[in-house]
Amino acid sequence: MPALKPLNLTGQIVWLGHVPDREAALASTAQGEMALSFAGPVGEDHGGLTRPSCSRVISQYPRGTEIKNTRQLSVVSAEELAQIAEAMGVDTLDPWLVGATMVVSGIPDFSHLPPSSRLQIANGATLTVDMQNRPCHLPAAEIDVPHPGKGRAFKAAARGLRGVTAWVEREGTARVGDSVTVHVPDQRAWAYTGG
């Protein structure tokens, strides 16, 4: 029996972005296609086979420890971006403002895909979902440029809607307009109830 079950659920890539230097700016630049290597999007600042550990994994490793990079891409949902924008009181929230790598449409409750789910692009390139991407304060400054005074609202508005982080399991190319099929782990939810 396969460990992953393809769902009868196909979305579409509606936007791709590239962050050349996140130290200079978190904002991403739109592009029509993206080469995906095992180290992530080619030339993208979030790429690499490894990364230094950060505050997200401080319970496991001292800050700066070299670990596997499971945060090569930030994948968000077009529908959830619209929900965030509404909660912030703005008409639209462009994905480049939040440093997104990929925006997909047509996959309900996208930010809650189970970890280890696969997003398989039409040509076979495949992303493995690490986990939900928790919102942070970093996009606030970028958001304030087109939406003065609204950036601070992003973190609360994006809670549970910020998309997922992912890493490349199979190399290939992603293009705007490509279909994306969801595959989920074929196992029941963990029933642990302890603390």
Side-chain angles (χ1 to χ4, degrees):
M1 171 182 291
L4 293 162
K5 176 175 60 175
L7 300 181
N8 187 22
L9 178 60
T10 300
Q12 183 179 43
I13 298 172
V14 296
W15 191 88
L16 292 167
H18 176 85
V19 178
D21 181 1
R22 62 185 156 174
E23 292 298 320
L26 177 66
S28 48
T29 304
Q31 55 189 52
E33 68 177 41
M34 174 181 293
L36 299 168
S37 76
F38 290 126
V42 175
E44 219 275 350
D45 198 45
H46 291 95
L49 292 173
T50 63
R51 69 177 182 91
S53 63
C54 62
S55 61
R56 295 173 187 91
V57 291
I58 201 72
S59 297
Q60 291 76 43
Y61 313 105
R63 188 183 300 270
T65 303
E66 186 176 17
I67 60 173
K68 168 87 172 130
N69 186 5
T70 58
R71 300 180 60 82
Q72 295 173 344
L73 294 98
S74 169
V75 187
V76 299
S77 156
E79 293 84 359
E80 290 176 347
L81 278 176
Q83 287 179 264
I84 295 168
E86 183 178 353
M88 291 174 61
V90 299
D91 290 336
T92 59
L93 185 60
D94 291 318
W96 64 270
L97 292 170
V98 299
T101 315
M102 180 181 291
V103 180
V104 298
S105 180
I107 301 173
D109 200 24
F110 183 78
S111 290
H112 295 98
L113 284 174
S116 290
S117 294
R118 302 311 200 266
L119 300 173
Q120 193 162 54
I121 299 166
N123 65 16
T126 305
L127 307 179
T128 299
V129 171
D130 177 47
M131 61 177 26
Q132 186 179 121
N133 192 10
R134 292 189 176 167
C136 67
H137 68 281
L138 294 177
E142 301 289 350
I143 293 169
D144 274 340
V145 174
H147 306 290
K150 297 291 187 176
R152 287 182 17 177
F154 172 75
K155 187 173 179 179
R159 188 165 286 119
L161 300 171
R162 180 66 171 85
V164 298
T165 57
W167 51 274
V168 177
E169 182 173 66
R170 181 180 178 197
E171 296 181 317
T173 301
R175 293 178 179 87
V176 172
D178 282 350
S179 63
V180 178
T181 303
V182 178
H183 300 244
V184 295
D186 189 24
Q187 66 183 48
R188 69 170 179 78
W190 194 23
Y192 177 72
T193 58

